[in-house]
Amino acid sequence: MPDTQDYTPPKVWSWTKPNGGRFENINRPTAGATHEKELPVGRHPLQLYSLGTPNGVKVTIMLEELLARGHKGAEYDAWLIKIGDGDQFGSGFVAANPNSKIPALVDRSGPKPIRVFETGAILMYLAEKFGELLPTEPAARAECLSWLFWQMGSAPYLGGGFGHFYAYAPSKMEYPIDRFAMETKRQLDVLDRRLADNEYLAGRDYSIADIAVWPWYGALAKGLLYGAGEFLSVQDYKHVLRWTDQIAGRPAVNRGRMVNRTFGEPSSQLHERHDASDFETRTQDKIGEAAAAEGG
Ligand SMILES: N[C@@H](CCC(=O)N[C@@H](CS)C(=O)NCC(=O)O)C(=O)O
């Protein structure tokens, strides 16, 4: 492990050893596929390749919101991509997302499949395709897109910065933890001030901006990310907490959170979703019961 307190970078960086962080087995300095593997394709127009992380659930929440509004064209198959096992480096996944990160969406409803990657792009694509959750009036639309892209630019400081150094790095280092705790608290304050005067991020109406921000900052405000609730005094961000609870009460949000989820209560985990009835019949508790009954 490098001595992080006193490190003189060489003239040219090279990848000589794993860095010791929690994700060292999947981190590498190159892109592209490591192995041949086609992606499965189900019967619905939309094929999602994902995992129930904060980035993944943005898209499953969006799809469940669209289905709740009666858009049959938003029916989807959600396939599990195990990033810890390196599934994101298979050739089929890389063809859907050259950046090798979940989630990736393939829209097969038209004559040629359309791939979309990066959650900001996926949320916008779906909002425009179905005419939902993205205001059309210019001022409201600008506000919505501003908060949507705020999330894209901000969350890497929360996850890759604060979360990495507070929870995942091989040792606790004061400088990066201090720097990113300050930035994370500043971001929470940005949201808190906005939500003090507005019900939702874009203003009066729930939108793709809330769907993008909630999985990260809602979870953070509830003390569910990185075990850092007390450290960051998250209870102080009262308006963020009000908004978090309001969104958590939406049935589509609760369904979306379950899809491709591989942790938590077995009844909250729907590893793959291929039909609306799967929420009732295919969660891990039910699959476990069925397997036990079959076994005897
Ligand atoms: N900016 C991307 C972030 C996606 C992302 O970071 N995905 C993570 C999981 S939450 C991932 O797939 N990591 C696997 C890897 O880095 O190899 C987005 O919004 O879609």
Side-chain angles (χ1 to χ4, degrees), residues 26-27 51 53-56 58 83 88-89 97 99-103 117-120 122 151-152 216:
I26 55 172
N27 292 339
L51 183 68
T53 67
N55 287 317
K58 293 175 200 169
I83 59 175
Q88 69 276 36
F89 305 119
N97 181 358
N99 197 37
S100 283
K101 291 187 193 289
I102 65 91
F117 60 94
E118 283 292 320
T119 51
I122 296 173
Q151 189 279 318
M152 300 303 140
W216 282 105

Side-chain angles (χ1 to χ4, degrees), residues 6 49 225:
D6 185 18
Y49 304 95
L225 279 190

Side-chain angles (χ1 to χ4, degrees), residues 119-187:
T119 51
I122 296 173
L123 291 175
M124 262 188 91
Y125 178 85
L126 292 171
E128 288 179 340
K129 181 179 171 88
F130 294 101
E132 298 279 6
L133 295 160
L134 171 59
T136 47
E137 188 275 314
R141 187 180 179 85
E143 197 63 30
C144 175
L145 292 179
S146 299
W147 288 105
L148 177 69
F149 286 93
W150 177 88
Q151 189 279 318
M152 300 303 140
S154 299
Y157 292 98
L158 165 56
F162 175 74
H164 180 81
F165 286 104
Y166 186 75
Y168 300 148
S171 63
K172 302 277 180 254
M173 291 164 264
E174 185 176 353
Y175 179 80
I177 291 175
D178 219 33
R179 170 174 158 79
F180 292 118
M182 171 148 36
E183 171 60 8
T184 299
K185 284 181 70 75
R186 189 194 68 80
Q187 293 179 359

Side-chain angles (χ1 to χ4, degrees), residues 262-274:
T262 54
F263 57 92
E265 285 295 310
S267 59
S268 75
Q269 298 183 31
L270 181 59
H271 285 192
E272 291 199 347
R273 182 235 188 253
H274 300 290

Side-chain angles (χ1 to χ4, degrees), residues 78-123:
W79 302 94
L80 190 63
I81 297 294
K82 293 184 182 157
I83 59 175
D85 294 351
D87 290 352
Q88 69 276 36
F89 305 119
S91 54
F93 191 90
V94 173
N97 181 358
N99 197 37
S100 283
K101 291 187 193 289
I102 65 91
L105 180 75
V106 181
D107 180 354
R108 306 184 74 93
S109 63
K112 274 191 171 173
I114 297 174
R115 76 166 193 203
V116 201
F117 60 94
E118 283 292 320
T119 51
I122 296 173
L123 291 175

